[in-house]
Amino acid sequence: MTDSIQRQPELPAETAEVDLGPAGIRVVGPRVPAQAAILSAQALAFLADLQRRFEATRQTCLAGRRARQARFDAKELPDFRADTAAIRAGNWRVAAIPAALLDRRVEITGPVEPKMVINALNSGANCFMADFEDSTSPTFANLVGGQQVLREAIAGTLEFTTELGKHYALKPEPERAVLMVRPRGWHLYEKHVLVDDAPMSASLFDLGLFAFHNARALHAKDRGPYFYLPKMECMEEAALWEAVLAHIEARLSLPHGTMKVTVLIETLPAAFEMDEILHALKDRIVGLNCGRWDYIFSYLKKFRKHRDKVLPERGQVTMTQHFLKSYCELLIQTCHRRGAHAMGGMAAQIPISGDAQANEAALARVRADKLREVSAGHDGTWVAHPALIPIAREIFDTHMPTPNQHHVKREEVSVTAADLIRPCAGTITRKGFENNVEVCVRYLAAWLDGNGCVPIHHLMEDAATAEIARAQLWQWLHASASGTEPLHLDDGTPVDFTLFDRVLLALPSQLAAIGGLPGAVRIHEAIALLDELTDAQILAPFLTVPAYQKLA
């Protein structure tokens, strides 16, 4: 397998329908609901302009990622940039934060499907991040349908009725959470929309379509539009987003800086450029977020050739580990120095019905995590399930009586490059190894079946958590095979491909006993893909890139 972030995509089959849009634009694949309304000729022309204007710069940024990974593979270690020292030392601040975003103490996230959107907007959270990325499987129907769902939500007309007749509708607008939207990352493409015979950037597709249909309406309500920007690695990628957003504002006759963004610091290189990313977007950025799960995945990926950076099983890589604690503290210090929010990470737990003791233990972990965040100086936090909102809110209300904690400067924090990359000690248990295999297979099967957010063992798993499991399996197995001393489970069992194959082969019969398993029909396909990716000599940068070829 080639180590390429931007693989040459396979286009949909010749038998698929082709809709001819404006000159040079084609929509390929079977038609999906809401396509005519969302992908109008005007919308397609708007997208084509973005693609033609910014694609070359996007490709330059992706080439920079590949070059950076090659240096890490050659055992170079990340460090703070010498050429941007003046930015880090400068006395500057980001633009003022709009009133709607001053208090973000509890945010909820989820996929862009109608029931989730209604429940999240009605949930009592301060903000809802509608996610086209890690919690949405990017089938064309999901993406186009998600755009229509958000359009109706903004208009206040969104309703949903289940097959059993249960009806969902939006609360009055003042009672709803503030909407934020996360597009897919720069590394992804949208294979169903071709501009000059090449698939367009998924980032530009998601954000461009949402802005085209909703930016003016949201601006009129003083509600943005507001975005979460994922997966970036450096200030140049942030500068590309700035150029895109400024261009969209000009095209839509919106004042410069109308479109506000929060950036997820969820890659290891980005942790070394937080000041620079804030500076590149200083006219519109309102905060940085500790995207903890993707950050752990990025650490694994960047150090895939560094045996001394092998991490223990996921459950032991907690936010109290030195490298993660350092990353959070640096983010808080940096944001508050610049007048931006420092947002905490995701609580992935979901309620456990039928086992009060296990449920209370899970909620206790959530409480401890949220107390850690607010005590450190975070201005807000994420939850994956509405039932966790009251818990998170109670803790932040108790310990953060002000709308945010920008006054907590954390001037005592002094984080070095060595702090950000120090690995943590721990073990690999048999249960931890088997759980990684199971999570990968179950999540990938559900994703291939169109579901990007899956409850597994009382945790809400998305692409980021599945990527940790997948990257750990690869790292453990290849580090063990290439080292003079193989890795072992804590019971002495060698960590090798014999163990992996044995666990993988036993999985179908184990999963067959689980009723109503999401993606059950694609379990064998998921197993084959995980086997291929794990056996490859190079760790694939993203699981979702090869898997995307299998989606409609």
Side-chain angles (χ1 to χ4, degrees):
M1 179 176 294
T2 60
D3 182 20
S4 173
I5 290 177
Q6 184 70 33
R7 290 176 32 167
Q8 180 61 37
E10 300 171 12
L11 299 182
E14 294 180 1
T15 56
E17 294 185 24
V18 176
D19 291 342
L20 299 178
I25 310 169
R26 290 189 295 151
V27 180
V28 297
R31 292 186 65 82
V32 298
Q35 181 170 323
I38 295 300
L39 294 176
S40 63
Q42 295 84 355
L44 288 171
F46 186 83
L47 293 179
D49 171 62
L50 293 177
Q51 178 71 5
R52 289 166 178 152
R53 190 175 297 268
F54 297 109
E55 175 64 6
T57 306
R58 182 177 80 100
Q59 290 298 335
T60 298
C61 288
L62 295 178
R65 290 189 185 186
R66 293 191 289 272
R68 189 177 302 113
Q69 182 65 61
R71 294 195 298 272
F72 292 150
D73 286 346
K75 303 305 171 64
E76 180 180 304
L77 298 176
D79 203 348
F80 298 97
R81 288 172 59 162
D83 63 327
T84 58
I87 293 176
R88 294 193 297 277
N91 186 22
W92 52 269
R93 291 171 65 86
V94 301
I97 297 175
L101 296 178
L102 283 174
D103 188 336
R104 296 169 59 182
R105 64 190 59 223
V106 183
E107 298 187 342
I108 188 168
T109 77
V112 287
E113 56 91 17
K115 180 182 172 182
M116 177 69 210
V117 170
I118 293 170
N119 285 342
L121 290 174
N122 290 347
S123 66
N126 296 73
C127 298
F128 163 51
M129 187 194 78
D131 187 17
F132 283 99
E133 204 210 21
D134 279 353
S135 61
T136 292
S137 174
T139 67
F140 201 43
N142 283 350
L143 296 172
V144 175
Q147 292 281 353
Q148 180 65 14
V149 164
L150 295 183
R151 190 179 182 184
E152 292 176 9
I154 291 164
T157 60
L158 180 62
E159 296 180 281
F160 177 72
T161 302
T162 68
E163 293 181 356
L164 297 177
K166 186 173 182 179
H167 186 68
Y168 295 82
L170 292 171
K171 292 180 179 179
E173 189 161 16
E175 300 178 38
R176 296 179 215 154
V178 174
L179 176 66
M180 308 183 80
V181 175
R182 177 162 68 168
R184 286 170 288 173
W186 282 130
H187 62 289
L188 297 171
Y189 57 88
E190 178 47 60
K191 66 182 179 181
H192 296 96
V193 178
L194 310 182
V195 178
D196 303 326
D197 295 323
M200 76 171 296
S201 158
S203 303
L204 298 179
F205 178 85
D206 295 342
L207 188 141
L209 263 185
F210 180 81
F212 177 82
H213 288 294
N214 305 294
R216 292 190 184 98
L218 287 167
H219 176 57
K221 299 178 181 182
D222 198 22
R223 285 296 181 269
Y226 305 137
F227 297 98
Y228 259 103
L229 302 181
K231 301 289 191 295
M232 65 179 71
E233 293 196 357
C234 61
M235 64 178 290
E236 286 77 11
E237 295 183 20
L240 174 55
W241 270 122
E242 171 59 34
V244 169
L245 294 164
H247 176 71
I248 290 174
E249 287 169 343
R251 282 288 307 272
L252 298 178
S253 300
L254 298 173
H256 178 75
T258 295
M259 302 168 76
K260 301 297 185 183
V261 302
T262 301
V263 170
L264 290 129
I265 301 299
E266 53 185 352
T267 69
L268 183 64
F272 291 84
E273 298 192 31
M274 289 191 275
D275 269 310
E276 292 87 338
I277 289 169
L278 286 167
H279 190 267
L281 289 157
K282 65 181 184 297
D283 290 347
R284 68 180 73 255
I285 195 164
V286 295
L288 302 178
N289 176 287
C290 285
R292 63 171 76 176
W293 305 125
D294 265 303
Y295 189 79
I296 295 169
F297 165 53
S298 179
Y299 184 100
L300 295 165
K301 180 168 56 176
K302 297 307 176 187
F303 291 140
R304 62 191 183 185
K305 294 288 184 94
H306 296 239
R307 185 179 169 87
D308 63 327
K309 300 291 191 297
V310 173
L311 297 181
E313 63 186 50
R314 169 182 150 190
Q316 298 174 30
V317 187
T318 66
M319 298 307 291
T320 59
Q321 296 287 0
H322 184 83
F323 80 101
L324 292 172
K325 181 174 181 286
S326 299
Y327 142 74
C328 288
E329 290 181 336
L330 180 60
L331 185 143
I332 294 165
Q333 182 190 60
T334 303
C335 286
H336 290 179
R337 181 186 178 199
R338 305 305 184 185
H341 289 320
M343 300 300 296
M346 170 68 78
Q349 289 83 2
I350 56 178
I352 303 173
S353 60
D355 190 335
Q357 186 175 357
N359 187 58
E360 182 50 41
L363 297 184
R365 289 192 290 273
V366 175
R367 291 188 188 97
D369 186 56
K370 300 314 168 191
L371 180 59
R372 173 193 61 79
E373 289 181 328
V374 73
S375 300
H378 281 292
D379 302 295
T381 190
W382 276 16
V383 298
H385 194 282
L388 301 183
I389 292 173
I391 296 172
R393 183 173 296 284
E394 179 187 8
I395 291 170
F396 270 78
D397 284 351
T398 300
H399 298 277
M400 190 179 79
T402 50
N404 52 64
Q405 299 194 87
H406 290 194
H407 57 280
V408 178
K409 301 300 184 183
R410 298 303 308 269
E411 292 175 352
E412 80 283 5
V413 168
S414 179
V415 174
T416 66
D419 290 319
L420 292 173
I421 64 174
R422 183 194 298 181
C424 57
T427 61
I428 309 169
T429 66
R430 182 175 298 275
K431 182 178 179 181
F433 187 94
E434 292 174 349
N435 185 69
N436 274 14
V437 176
E438 181 184 355
V439 166
C440 283
V441 169
R442 288 180 61 176
Y443 180 79
L444 183 54
W447 193 91
L448 291 171
D449 204 38
N451 185 354
C453 197
V454 187
I456 302 176
H457 298 313
H458 312 301
L459 294 174
M460 191 62 74
E461 306 284 2
D462 66 6
T465 53
E467 287 283 33
I468 294 174
R470 192 261 307 185
Q472 284 200 313
L473 289 170
W474 186 94
Q475 188 183 50
W476 292 338
L477 291 164
H478 287 267
S480 190
S482 62
T484 54
E485 290 189 26
L487 300 178
H488 290 80
L489 302 181
D490 66 345
D491 64 6
T493 303
V495 176
D496 55 24
F497 282 95
T498 299
L499 172 64
F500 174 67
D501 290 342
R502 188 161 60 243
V503 174
L504 205 59
L505 287 170
L507 199 56
S509 60
Q510 296 170 11
L511 297 182
I514 302 176
L517 189 72
V521 296
R522 305 196 76 163
I523 288 292
H524 289 285
E525 194 175 356
I527 287 174
L529 184 54
L530 177 61
D531 190 30
E532 175 189 345
L533 292 173
T534 306
D535 189 57
Q537 289 304 304
I538 298 295
L539 174 66
F542 291 96
L543 167 68
T544 50
V545 172
Y548 183 49
Q549 295 304 325
K550 302 177 183 296
L551 289 184

